[in-house]
Amino acid sequence: MAAAPLLAERTYFVNGRQVPAEAQEARELVAHAMASPSSSSTENRLQQELRSTLEKKLGTSSDGIPRRLVLFDGMCRLCFGFLAVVVPRDSLDRFRFAPLQSKLGQQVLAWKGLPLDIDSVVLIRDNEVFVRSSAALNILGELDGVASALSYLTIIPRPLRDFGYEMVAKSRYVMLGHATEAQKSKQEITARMVDTWEADPDDPSHVCKS
């Protein structure tokens, strides 16, 4: 009988899309830990390791609080435009960024139980997770100037906010196209990246069909 393939040699698919092996393996480890008799201690150890990795990568802001992690679509021109709004208005240096598709992004999504192919900006703040409109508005709420006033839109019921968010998200490539190399290479943004990812032009899943 042939030996079972190693985890690193497997190909994983989520919702019909291939995903990085590291992220799926992380999810499997968490699921196995939760199912095992010693699930509590094993789960806590895995969470502590991921949390420790994040803390080291993120560090603390200039006002001494843990930085926030923002995960975004690494192919999205609108997303890079959003980062370009955030960075110059973040005088306390609270935010760090990583593409959803990056190794760190996939590991964090698996850890937090989010879909690996989630189509949303994700904010990780003090171990809380925010997605879609709640993520965007909470980010804006920590910025300098009038941009922070937009956070008051959270008074709108979340289903209505998320409906508007998703309408923009679904048409963002049609309206604005893919991120340009000039956007990706802006020093003020790259300096705050804690992980990177480059789209593979030969990979169909890295080409938007919208």
Side-chain angles (χ1 to χ4, degrees):
M1 181 179 296
L6 297 174
L7 283 175
E9 295 175 346
R10 294 180 181 174
T11 300
Y12 298 96
F13 292 86
V14 175
N15 296 334
R17 294 174 58 186
Q18 187 173 348
V19 298
E22 308 94 341
Q24 189 62 19
E25 288 161 19
R27 177 165 286 175
E28 288 180 352
L29 285 171
V30 172
H32 175 73
M34 293 179 70
S36 67
S38 57
S39 62
S40 179
S41 60
T42 306
E43 182 183 0
N44 288 340
R45 178 177 57 80
L46 290 171
Q47 290 181 351
Q48 288 170 0
E49 289 175 357
L50 284 168
R51 187 177 294 113
S52 176
T53 297
L54 271 184
E55 288 174 352
K56 290 176 182 177
K57 284 181 175 288
L58 299 179
T60 56
S61 64
S62 59
D63 57 341
I65 65 173
R67 289 196 178 101
R68 291 76 164 94
L69 176 64
V70 177
L71 302 178
F72 66 98
D73 179 359
M75 293 192 296
C76 172
R77 187 171 187 172
L78 179 61
C79 299
F80 275 94
F82 181 66
L83 301 191
V85 170
V86 171
V87 171
R89 294 167 177 81
D90 179 26
S91 62
L92 295 176
D93 193 24
R94 287 183 174 179
F95 293 100
R96 289 294 182 267
F97 311 110
L100 289 160
Q101 301 94 332
S102 66
K103 180 178 179 180
L104 177 64
Q106 292 285 288
Q107 288 175 334
V108 171
L109 292 176
W111 173 36
K112 295 298 184 181
L114 296 172
L116 300 181
D117 60 348
I118 189 171
D119 192 18
S120 169
V121 64
V122 177
L123 169 65
I124 309 295
R125 181 178 68 191
D126 299 329
N127 294 317
E128 286 187 283
V129 182
F130 302 88
V131 298
R132 302 184 179 86
S133 64
S134 295
L137 293 176
N138 274 279
I139 293 167
L140 292 172
E142 295 198 52
L143 302 183
D144 308 327
V146 296
S148 63
L150 293 172
S151 65
Y152 289 107
L153 291 176
T154 53
I155 64 173
I156 299 173
R158 189 176 66 183
L160 290 179
R161 288 189 277 111
D162 283 348
F163 177 78
Y165 178 95
E166 290 173 1
M167 289 300 98
V168 174
K170 288 178 180 179
S171 59
R172 65 190 186 275
Y173 290 111
V174 174
M175 293 189 301
L176 297 173
H178 288 70
T180 65
E181 290 305 315
Q183 283 182 305
K184 295 179 182 179
S185 60
K186 283 189 175 180
Q187 185 175 0
E188 60 270 27
I189 292 177
T190 59
R192 297 195 182 201
M193 290 286 189
V194 292
D195 202 358
T196 59
W197 174 82
E198 290 294 333
D200 181 355
D202 296 324
D203 187 337
S205 69
H206 293 182
V207 178
C208 178
K209 299 178 178 61
S210 61

